[in-house]
Every structure is written in structure tokens, then in C-alpha cells.
Amino acid sequence: DGGITQSPKYLFRKEGQNVTLSCEQNLNHDAMYWYRQDPGQGLRLIYYSQIVNDFQKGDIAEGYSVSREKKESFPLTVTSAQKNPTAFYLCASSSRTSDYLTDTQYFGPGTRLTVL
Amino acid sequence: QQQVKQSPQSLIVQKGGISIINCAYENTAFDYFPWYQQFPGKGPALLIAIRPDVSEKKEGRFTISFNKSAKQFSLHIMDSQPGDSATYFCASPGQAGTALIFGKGTTLSVSS
């Protein structure tokens, strides 16, 4: 089955710890994205990557870091610098048909992070 | 910062009624307007999208209407069913080389 997998589904973190959320896709998509979802806030873009070894900050990148060493993988690290990390995190991917990342974005099932 | 304004924030519709959700976008260089549907605890899934060389696209009970001059597009759900109860997000393209911009979502409840 083709798709996007995120792990773990639930993650608990103590204050001051870094945690890494996994995102893997087997859709052969060039572009990958990380979003944060809070109640009433919609989907806010954290980072996105159009190709391997390249990524750009989104609207709320502070306190987060990413890497894109493989086409299939785009892990997100929530650092201790992120002051309010409790949220639902969504990974997505899309193919690139042009300079516009406007092809359909496919989302993973999400990871719910809770800071204790 | 480019935005997409989505309304209403929440909507309650009787079973069999019509649900209407509206979005307004800012200037885009490329016309592609998708709607996503999200159930609690799940990731959003593409519901329907329009690349407007047409002003309307219909798939089953779901219709997108697009008004380019007004920079607005809307989702109409005909014969709404309890299974349609979910959060709906509209989106529009960002600047060249950037990601889609999402609205803040509309929570739809269809009462039986």
C-alpha cells in the first residue's frame, strides 16, 4: 500500500527534552511538509522540503528542526526551545509538477505530542 | 503573510440540508483550490479540488463554486448526512515555490 506513515501515534515529552517525530512516504513524492494543528488554528506550516537536502521554514519554524537526507523521509525534531509544543503534528507530501507546489497534498495520520 | 479566510468557523445542519462553507483568498499566481475533510484524530484527506478553467466542479453531493473576480470559492454539500460531520479546510496556492495556504477550518455537524 502506498501512503504516508507517521510514528509514534502518541508521544509524551518532559519539559526540556528534544523529541523527533518520524514521517515516511512511499509515494515517490519530491515535496514533503510538516504542519502543526491546534484547536481553532487550522493547519500551520512548520517546514517544507521540495527536494532532498533542501528545506525551507514555514510560518512557525521557531523551536523546530528538520532534515531531508532521503526522498522518503522527513523527520521533525521538536526542541526544548519550542515553548508550547503540545499539539497534533501532521506530515504531508506531494509531487512537484512545476515550480508551484500545488499538486494534491497527501497527509499522514498524525502524531499527538503532549508535554508533561 | 498571505492568508485564506474561511467561514463560518462552525456549522450545524439538519440531515438532508445543504451545507455551505466559504473561503476568500489573496492574489495567487496559479489557480488551484482544494478542499480537505478531516475526521477527529485523523489526517486531512482531499475531498474535491478545482483548477478553474471552469467556475464549478461537482463530485457526487459535493460542489465547488469559484468566483475569480471576487477571489472567493465555496464548498456546497447537498443532502448533508451525519457521516459528513467533520472539519473542512479550504486551501489556495502560496507564492511560487511555497506550500498551500490553509484556512482555519469549519467544523460541520449534521444532526439526524
Side-chain angles (χ1 to χ4, degrees), chain A residues 33-60:
Chain A
Y33 316 79
W34 274 105
Y35 293 89
R36 169 178 172 146
Q37 187 173 28
D38 298 280
Q41 295 294 318
L43 302 170
R44 294 188 289 170
L45 183 66
I46 304 173
Y47 270 98
Y48 64 101
S49 168
Q50 300 182 47
I51 55 173
V52 174
N53 293 321
D54 186 50
F55 48 83
Q56 288 77 41
K57 293 181 179 180
D59 299 322
I60 57 165

PDB file of all heavy atoms in Angstrom, chain A residues 33-60:
ATOM      1  N   TYR A  33       6.092  18.027   3.841  1.00  0.00           N
ATOM      2  CA  TYR A  33       5.687  19.154   4.673  1.00  0.00           C
ATOM      3  C   TYR A  33       5.426  18.695   6.106  1.00  0.00           C
ATOM      4  O   TYR A  33       5.021  17.566   6.339  1.00  0.00           O
ATOM      5  CB  TYR A  33       4.366  19.768   4.155  1.00  0.00           C
ATOM      6  CG  TYR A  33       4.274  19.956   2.669  1.00  0.00           C
ATOM      7  CD1 TYR A  33       3.974  18.886   1.829  1.00  0.00           C
ATOM      8  CD2 TYR A  33       4.462  21.213   2.093  1.00  0.00           C
ATOM      9  CE1 TYR A  33       3.870  19.062   0.458  1.00  0.00           C
ATOM     10  CE2 TYR A  33       4.359  21.392   0.723  1.00  0.00           C
ATOM     11  CZ  TYR A  33       4.063  20.305  -0.079  1.00  0.00           C
ATOM     12  OH  TYR A  33       3.963  20.483  -1.436  1.00  0.00           O
ATOM     13  N   TRP A  34       5.594  19.643   7.023  1.00  0.00           N
ATOM     14  CA  TRP A  34       5.169  19.435   8.403  1.00  0.00           C
ATOM     15  C   TRP A  34       4.229  20.565   8.799  1.00  0.00           C
ATOM     16  O   TRP A  34       4.544  21.748   8.592  1.00  0.00           O
ATOM     17  CB  TRP A  34       6.350  19.413   9.371  1.00  0.00           C
ATOM     18  CG  TRP A  34       6.983  18.070   9.511  1.00  0.00           C
ATOM     19  CD1 TRP A  34       8.165  17.651   8.988  1.00  0.00           C
ATOM     20  CD2 TRP A  34       6.462  16.955  10.256  1.00  0.00           C
ATOM     21  NE1 TRP A  34       8.410  16.352   9.350  1.00  0.00           N
ATOM     22  CE2 TRP A  34       7.387  15.898  10.127  1.00  0.00           C
ATOM     23  CE3 TRP A  34       5.314  16.744  11.018  1.00  0.00           C
ATOM     24  CZ2 TRP A  34       7.208  14.663  10.725  1.00  0.00           C
ATOM     25  CZ3 TRP A  34       5.121  15.515  11.606  1.00  0.00           C
ATOM     26  CH2 TRP A  34       6.058  14.477  11.464  1.00  0.00           C
ATOM     27  N   TYR A  35       3.089  20.165   9.397  1.00  0.00           N
ATOM     28  CA  TYR A  35       2.113  21.120   9.894  1.00  0.00           C
ATOM     29  C   TYR A  35       1.863  20.852  11.376  1.00  0.00           C
ATOM     30  O   TYR A  35       1.950  19.730  11.843  1.00  0.00           O
ATOM     31  CB  TYR A  35       0.779  20.984   9.167  1.00  0.00           C
ATOM     32  CG  TYR A  35       0.806  21.376   7.717  1.00  0.00           C
ATOM     33  CD1 TYR A  35       1.127  20.443   6.726  1.00  0.00           C
ATOM     34  CD2 TYR A  35       0.497  22.671   7.326  1.00  0.00           C
ATOM     35  CE1 TYR A  35       1.143  20.804   5.389  1.00  0.00           C
ATOM     36  CE2 TYR A  35       0.506  23.043   5.990  1.00  0.00           C
ATOM     37  CZ  TYR A  35       0.832  22.095   5.036  1.00  0.00           C
ATOM     38  OH  TYR A  35       0.848  22.451   3.712  1.00  0.00           O
ATOM     39  N   ARG A  36       1.471  21.916  12.035  1.00  0.00           N
ATOM     40  CA  ARG A  36       1.028  21.813  13.421  1.00  0.00           C
ATOM     41  C   ARG A  36      -0.448  22.196  13.449  1.00  0.00           C
ATOM     42  O   ARG A  36      -0.869  23.165  12.811  1.00  0.00           O
ATOM     43  CB  ARG A  36       1.840  22.761  14.302  1.00  0.00           C
ATOM     44  CG  ARG A  36       1.298  22.923  15.701  1.00  0.00           C
ATOM     45  CD  ARG A  36       2.162  23.818  16.548  1.00  0.00           C
ATOM     46  NE  ARG A  36       1.481  24.088  17.804  1.00  0.00           N
ATOM     47  CZ  ARG A  36       2.108  24.240  18.966  1.00  0.00           C
ATOM     48  NH1 ARG A  36       3.425  24.198  19.032  1.00  0.00           N
ATOM     49  NH2 ARG A  36       1.420  24.470  20.066  1.00  0.00           N
ATOM     50  N   GLN A  37      -1.243  21.424  14.200  1.00  0.00           N
ATOM     51  CA  GLN A  37      -2.663  21.712  14.312  1.00  0.00           C
ATOM     52  C   GLN A  37      -3.039  21.889  15.766  1.00  0.00           C
ATOM     53  O   GLN A  37      -2.826  20.996  16.591  1.00  0.00           O
ATOM     54  CB  GLN A  37      -3.497  20.588  13.669  1.00  0.00           C
ATOM     55  CG  GLN A  37      -4.977  20.911  13.602  1.00  0.00           C
ATOM     56  CD  GLN A  37      -5.768  19.886  12.816  1.00  0.00           C
ATOM     57  OE1 GLN A  37      -5.411  18.725  12.723  1.00  0.00           O
ATOM     58  NE2 GLN A  37      -6.856  20.332  12.223  1.00  0.00           N
ATOM     59  N   ASP A  38      -3.599  23.043  16.075  1.00  0.00           N
ATOM     60  CA  ASP A  38      -4.156  23.341  17.388  1.00  0.00           C
ATOM     61  C   ASP A  38      -5.633  23.652  17.199  1.00  0.00           C
ATOM     62  O   ASP A  38      -6.038  24.128  16.142  1.00  0.00           O
ATOM     63  CB  ASP A  38      -3.463  24.558  18.026  1.00  0.00           C
ATOM     64  CG  ASP A  38      -1.985  24.316  18.252  1.00  0.00           C
ATOM     65  OD1 ASP A  38      -1.660  23.651  19.251  1.00  0.00           O
ATOM     66  OD2 ASP A  38      -1.155  24.779  17.449  1.00  0.00           O
ATOM     67  N   PRO A  39      -6.456  23.417  18.218  1.00  0.00           N
ATOM     68  CA  PRO A  39      -7.904  23.678  18.080  1.00  0.00           C
ATOM     69  C   PRO A  39      -8.178  25.108  17.636  1.00  0.00           C
ATOM     70  O   PRO A  39      -7.661  26.065  18.230  1.00  0.00           O
ATOM     71  CB  PRO A  39      -8.428  23.421  19.496  1.00  0.00           C
ATOM     72  CG  PRO A  39      -7.470  22.458  20.087  1.00  0.00           C
ATOM     73  CD  PRO A  39      -6.120  22.836  19.526  1.00  0.00           C
ATOM     74  N   GLY A  40      -8.955  25.266  16.584  1.00  0.00           N
ATOM     75  CA  GLY A  40      -9.338  26.584  16.102  1.00  0.00           C
ATOM     76  C   GLY A  40      -8.265  27.325  15.328  1.00  0.00           C
ATOM     77  O   GLY A  40      -8.491  28.445  14.877  1.00  0.00           O
ATOM     78  N   GLN A  41      -7.084  26.701  15.162  1.00  0.00           N
ATOM     79  CA  GLN A  41      -5.979  27.382  14.470  1.00  0.00           C
ATOM     80  C   GLN A  41      -5.733  26.860  13.073  1.00  0.00           C
ATOM     81  O   GLN A  41      -4.871  27.366  12.357  1.00  0.00           O
ATOM     82  CB  GLN A  41      -4.688  27.228  15.295  1.00  0.00           C
ATOM     83  CG  GLN A  41      -4.722  27.923  16.639  1.00  0.00           C
ATOM     84  CD  GLN A  41      -4.796  29.414  16.483  1.00  0.00           C
ATOM     85  OE1 GLN A  41      -4.121  30.006  15.651  1.00  0.00           O
ATOM     86  NE2 GLN A  41      -5.658  30.036  17.260  1.00  0.00           N
ATOM     87  N   GLY A  42      -6.418  25.855  12.661  1.00  0.00           N
ATOM     88  CA  GLY A  42      -6.192  25.309  11.330  1.00  0.00           C
ATOM     89  C   GLY A  42      -4.871  24.587  11.236  1.00  0.00           C
ATOM     90  O   GLY A  42      -4.340  24.076  12.222  1.00  0.00           O
ATOM     91  N   LEU A  43      -4.312  24.576  10.026  1.00  0.00           N
ATOM     92  CA  LEU A  43      -3.050  23.885   9.764  1.00  0.00           C
ATOM     93  C   LEU A  43      -1.972  24.936   9.556  1.00  0.00           C
ATOM     94  O   LEU A  43      -2.018  25.701   8.600  1.00  0.00           O
ATOM     95  CB  LEU A  43      -3.179  23.016   8.509  1.00  0.00           C
ATOM     96  CG  LEU A  43      -4.277  21.958   8.554  1.00  0.00           C
ATOM     97  CD1 LEU A  43      -4.467  21.332   7.180  1.00  0.00           C
ATOM     98  CD2 LEU A  43      -3.934  20.893   9.578  1.00  0.00           C
ATOM     99  N   ARG A  44      -1.003  24.955  10.428  1.00  0.00           N
ATOM    100  CA  ARG A  44       0.075  25.944  10.324  1.00  0.00           C
ATOM    101  C   ARG A  44       1.364  25.259   9.889  1.00  0.00           C
ATOM    102  O   ARG A  44       1.783  24.264  10.488  1.00  0.00           O
ATOM    103  CB  ARG A  44       0.252  26.674  11.657  1.00  0.00           C
ATOM    104  CG  ARG A  44      -0.949  27.542  12.026  1.00  0.00           C
ATOM    105  CD  ARG A  44      -0.671  28.384  13.244  1.00  0.00           C
ATOM    106  NE  ARG A  44      -0.601  27.589  14.456  1.00  0.00           N
ATOM    107  CZ  ARG A  44      -0.176  28.053  15.629  1.00  0.00           C
ATOM    108  NH1 ARG A  44       0.204  29.308  15.725  1.00  0.00           N
ATOM    109  NH2 ARG A  44      -0.160  27.264  16.683  1.00  0.00           N
ATOM    110  N   LEU A  45       1.983  25.801   8.860  1.00  0.00           N
ATOM    111  CA  LEU A  45       3.151  25.190   8.236  1.00  0.00           C
ATOM    112  C   LEU A  45       4.395  25.436   9.069  1.00  0.00           C
ATOM    113  O   LEU A  45       4.726  26.576   9.393  1.00  0.00           O
ATOM    114  CB  LEU A  45       3.325  25.755   6.832  1.00  0.00           C
ATOM    115  CG  LEU A  45       4.449  25.189   5.986  1.00  0.00           C
ATOM    116  CD1 LEU A  45       4.178  23.728   5.655  1.00  0.00           C
ATOM    117  CD2 LEU A  45       4.602  25.999   4.696  1.00  0.00           C
ATOM    118  N   ILE A  46       5.111  24.349   9.371  1.00  0.00           N
ATOM    119  CA  ILE A  46       6.334  24.453  10.161  1.00  0.00           C
ATOM    120  C   ILE A  46       7.560  24.502   9.230  1.00  0.00           C
ATOM    121  O   ILE A  46       8.356  25.433   9.274  1.00  0.00           O
ATOM    122  CB  ILE A  46       6.469  23.267  11.135  1.00  0.00           C
ATOM    123  CG1 ILE A  46       5.243  23.153  12.028  1.00  0.00           C
ATOM    124  CG2 ILE A  46       7.733  23.418  11.993  1.00  0.00           C
ATOM    125  CD1 ILE A  46       5.231  21.898  12.895  1.00  0.00           C
ATOM    126  N   TYR A  47       7.731  23.487   8.428  1.00  0.00           N
ATOM    127  CA  TYR A  47       8.814  23.388   7.457  1.00  0.00           C
ATOM    128  C   TYR A  47       8.301  22.650   6.230  1.00  0.00           C
ATOM    129  O   TYR A  47       7.346  21.868   6.319  1.00  0.00           O
ATOM    130  CB  TYR A  47       9.995  22.586   8.029  1.00  0.00           C
ATOM    131  CG  TYR A  47      11.038  23.378   8.755  1.00  0.00           C
ATOM    132  CD1 TYR A  47      11.017  23.465  10.142  1.00  0.00           C
ATOM    133  CD2 TYR A  47      12.064  24.016   8.069  1.00  0.00           C
ATOM    134  CE1 TYR A  47      11.994  24.179  10.829  1.00  0.00           C
ATOM    135  CE2 TYR A  47      13.049  24.732   8.743  1.00  0.00           C
ATOM    136  CZ  TYR A  47      13.002  24.808  10.128  1.00  0.00           C
ATOM    137  OH  TYR A  47      13.972  25.518  10.807  1.00  0.00           O
ATOM    138  N   TYR A  48       8.943  22.893   5.093  1.00  0.00           N
ATOM    139  CA  TYR A  48       8.671  22.084   3.923  1.00  0.00           C
ATOM    140  C   TYR A  48       9.950  21.876   3.132  1.00  0.00           C
ATOM    141  O   TYR A  48      10.915  22.643   3.266  1.00  0.00           O
ATOM    142  CB  TYR A  48       7.567  22.693   3.045  1.00  0.00           C
ATOM    143  CG  TYR A  48       7.884  24.030   2.433  1.00  0.00           C
ATOM    144  CD1 TYR A  48       8.287  24.137   1.108  1.00  0.00           C
ATOM    145  CD2 TYR A  48       7.744  25.200   3.171  1.00  0.00           C
ATOM    146  CE1 TYR A  48       8.553  25.366   0.536  1.00  0.00           C
ATOM    147  CE2 TYR A  48       8.008  26.425   2.610  1.00  0.00           C
ATOM    148  CZ  TYR A  48       8.406  26.514   1.297  1.00  0.00           C
ATOM    149  OH  TYR A  48       8.684  27.739   0.740  1.00  0.00           O
ATOM    150  N   SER A  49       9.939  20.824   2.336  1.00  0.00           N
ATOM    151  CA  SER A  49      11.116  20.454   1.559  1.00  0.00           C
ATOM    152  C   SER A  49      10.661  20.080   0.150  1.00  0.00           C
ATOM    153  O   SER A  49       9.769  19.262  -0.021  1.00  0.00           O
ATOM    154  CB  SER A  49      11.817  19.261   2.213  1.00  0.00           C
ATOM    155  OG  SER A  49      12.780  18.707   1.347  1.00  0.00           O
ATOM    156  N   GLN A  50      11.301  20.700  -0.838  1.00  0.00           N
ATOM    157  CA  GLN A  50      10.935  20.419  -2.219  1.00  0.00           C
ATOM    158  C   GLN A  50      11.778  19.298  -2.810  1.00  0.00           C
ATOM    159  O   GLN A  50      11.339  18.599  -3.735  1.00  0.00           O
ATOM    160  CB  GLN A  50      11.097  21.684  -3.067  1.00  0.00           C
ATOM    161  CG  GLN A  50      10.232  22.837  -2.599  1.00  0.00           C
ATOM    162  CD  GLN A  50      10.375  24.051  -3.498  1.00  0.00           C
ATOM    163  OE1 GLN A  50      10.328  23.933  -4.706  1.00  0.00           O
ATOM    164  NE2 GLN A  50      10.544  25.222  -2.901  1.00  0.00           N
ATOM    165  N   ILE A  51      13.002  19.164  -2.332  1.00  0.00           N
ATOM    166  CA  ILE A  51      13.891  18.115  -2.831  1.00  0.00           C
ATOM    167  C   ILE A  51      14.817  17.681  -1.698  1.00  0.00           C
ATOM    168  O   ILE A  51      14.906  18.348  -0.660  1.00  0.00           O
ATOM    169  CB  ILE A  51      14.754  18.597  -4.015  1.00  0.00           C
ATOM    170  CG1 ILE A  51      15.549  19.854  -3.629  1.00  0.00           C
ATOM    171  CG2 ILE A  51      13.908  18.856  -5.255  1.00  0.00           C
ATOM    172  CD1 ILE A  51      16.542  20.282  -4.674  1.00  0.00           C
ATOM    173  N   VAL A  52      15.485  16.576  -1.911  1.00  0.00           N
ATOM    174  CA  VAL A  52      16.416  16.053  -0.905  1.00  0.00           C
ATOM    175  C   VAL A  52      17.494  17.082  -0.609  1.00  0.00           C
ATOM    176  O   VAL A  52      17.945  17.810  -1.493  1.00  0.00           O
ATOM    177  CB  VAL A  52      17.037  14.731  -1.408  1.00  0.00           C
ATOM    178  CG1 VAL A  52      18.120  14.236  -0.453  1.00  0.00           C
ATOM    179  CG2 VAL A  52      15.949  13.671  -1.566  1.00  0.00           C
ATOM    180  N   ASN A  53      17.871  17.152   0.661  1.00  0.00           N
ATOM    181  CA  ASN A  53      18.931  18.041   1.152  1.00  0.00           C
ATOM    182  C   ASN A  53      18.588  19.516   1.033  1.00  0.00           C
ATOM    183  O   ASN A  53      19.495  20.368   1.042  1.00  0.00           O
ATOM    184  CB  ASN A  53      20.267  17.760   0.439  1.00  0.00           C
ATOM    185  CG  ASN A  53      20.829  16.387   0.802  1.00  0.00           C
ATOM    186  OD1 ASN A  53      20.733  15.960   1.953  1.00  0.00           O
ATOM    187  ND2 ASN A  53      21.390  15.704  -0.173  1.00  0.00           N
ATOM    188  N   ASP A  54      17.328  19.819   0.925  1.00  0.00           N
ATOM    189  CA  ASP A  54      16.897  21.207   0.876  1.00  0.00           C
ATOM    190  C   ASP A  54      15.569  21.352   1.606  1.00  0.00           C
ATOM    191  O   ASP A  54      14.673  20.502   1.458  1.00  0.00           O
ATOM    192  CB  ASP A  54      16.743  21.682  -0.559  1.00  0.00           C
ATOM    193  CG  ASP A  54      16.436  23.166  -0.621  1.00  0.00           C
ATOM    194  OD1 ASP A  54      17.159  23.947   0.023  1.00  0.00           O
ATOM    195  OD2 ASP A  54      15.470  23.554  -1.300  1.00  0.00           O
ATOM    196  N   PHE A  55      15.421  22.393   2.421  1.00  0.00           N
ATOM    197  CA  PHE A  55      14.154  22.635   3.101  1.00  0.00           C
ATOM    198  C   PHE A  55      14.047  24.118   3.426  1.00  0.00           C
ATOM    199  O   PHE A  55      15.052  24.840   3.479  1.00  0.00           O
ATOM    200  CB  PHE A  55      14.010  21.779   4.369  1.00  0.00           C
ATOM    201  CG  PHE A  55      15.207  21.793   5.282  1.00  0.00           C
ATOM    202  CD1 PHE A  55      15.401  22.812   6.204  1.00  0.00           C
ATOM    203  CD2 PHE A  55      16.156  20.768   5.229  1.00  0.00           C
ATOM    204  CE1 PHE A  55      16.497  22.814   7.040  1.00  0.00           C
ATOM    205  CE2 PHE A  55      17.246  20.766   6.062  1.00  0.00           C
ATOM    206  CZ  PHE A  55      17.423  21.788   6.977  1.00  0.00           C
ATOM    207  N   GLN A  56      12.813  24.564   3.629  1.00  0.00           N
ATOM    208  CA  GLN A  56      12.541  25.972   3.911  1.00  0.00           C
ATOM    209  C   GLN A  56      11.666  26.098   5.148  1.00  0.00           C
ATOM    210  O   GLN A  56      10.832  25.229   5.435  1.00  0.00           O
ATOM    211  CB  GLN A  56      11.807  26.644   2.739  1.00  0.00           C
ATOM    212  CG  GLN A  56      12.650  26.888   1.506  1.00  0.00           C
ATOM    213  CD  GLN A  56      12.860  25.637   0.697  1.00  0.00           C
ATOM    214  OE1 GLN A  56      11.939  24.859   0.529  1.00  0.00           O
ATOM    215  NE2 GLN A  56      14.074  25.450   0.203  1.00  0.00           N
ATOM    216  N   LYS A  57      11.840  27.200   5.856  1.00  0.00           N
ATOM    217  CA  LYS A  57      10.998  27.471   7.008  1.00  0.00           C
ATOM    218  C   LYS A  57       9.601  27.851   6.561  1.00  0.00           C
ATOM    219  O   LYS A  57       9.404  28.538   5.555  1.00  0.00           O
ATOM    220  CB  LYS A  57      11.594  28.619   7.837  1.00  0.00           C
ATOM    221  CG  LYS A  57      12.908  28.273   8.512  1.00  0.00           C
ATOM    222  CD  LYS A  57      13.410  29.456   9.335  1.00  0.00           C
ATOM    223  CE  LYS A  57      14.718  29.098  10.042  1.00  0.00           C
ATOM    224  NZ  LYS A  57      15.213  30.249  10.847  1.00  0.00           N
ATOM    225  N   GLY A  58       8.629  27.401   7.356  1.00  0.00           N
ATOM    226  CA  GLY A  58       7.260  27.831   7.168  1.00  0.00           C
ATOM    227  C   GLY A  58       6.946  28.992   8.101  1.00  0.00           C
ATOM    228  O   GLY A  58       7.828  29.757   8.497  1.00  0.00           O
ATOM    229  N   ASP A  59       5.682  29.089   8.485  1.00  0.00           N
ATOM    230  CA  ASP A  59       5.238  30.242   9.272  1.00  0.00           C
ATOM    231  C   ASP A  59       5.631  30.162  10.751  1.00  0.00           C
ATOM    232  O   ASP A  59       5.702  31.183  11.430  1.00  0.00           O
ATOM    233  CB  ASP A  59       3.713  30.359   9.171  1.00  0.00           C
ATOM    234  CG  ASP A  59       3.263  30.564   7.736  1.00  0.00           C
ATOM    235  OD1 ASP A  59       3.964  31.296   7.001  1.00  0.00           O
ATOM    236  OD2 ASP A  59       2.232  29.988   7.344  1.00  0.00           O
ATOM    237  N   ILE A  60       5.837  28.948  11.252  1.00  0.00           N
ATOM    238  CA  ILE A  60       6.083  28.787  12.699  1.00  0.00           C
ATOM    239  C   ILE A  60       7.273  27.868  12.949  1.00  0.00           C
ATOM    240  O   ILE A  60       7.209  26.938  13.730  1.00  0.00           O
ATOM    241  CB  ILE A  60       4.814  28.264  13.426  1.00  0.00           C
ATOM    242  CG1 ILE A  60       4.339  26.936  12.811  1.00  0.00           C
ATOM    243  CG2 ILE A  60       3.693  29.285  13.384  1.00  0.00           C
ATOM    244  CD1 ILE A  60       3.335  26.203  13.686  1.00  0.00           C
TER     245      ILE A  60
END
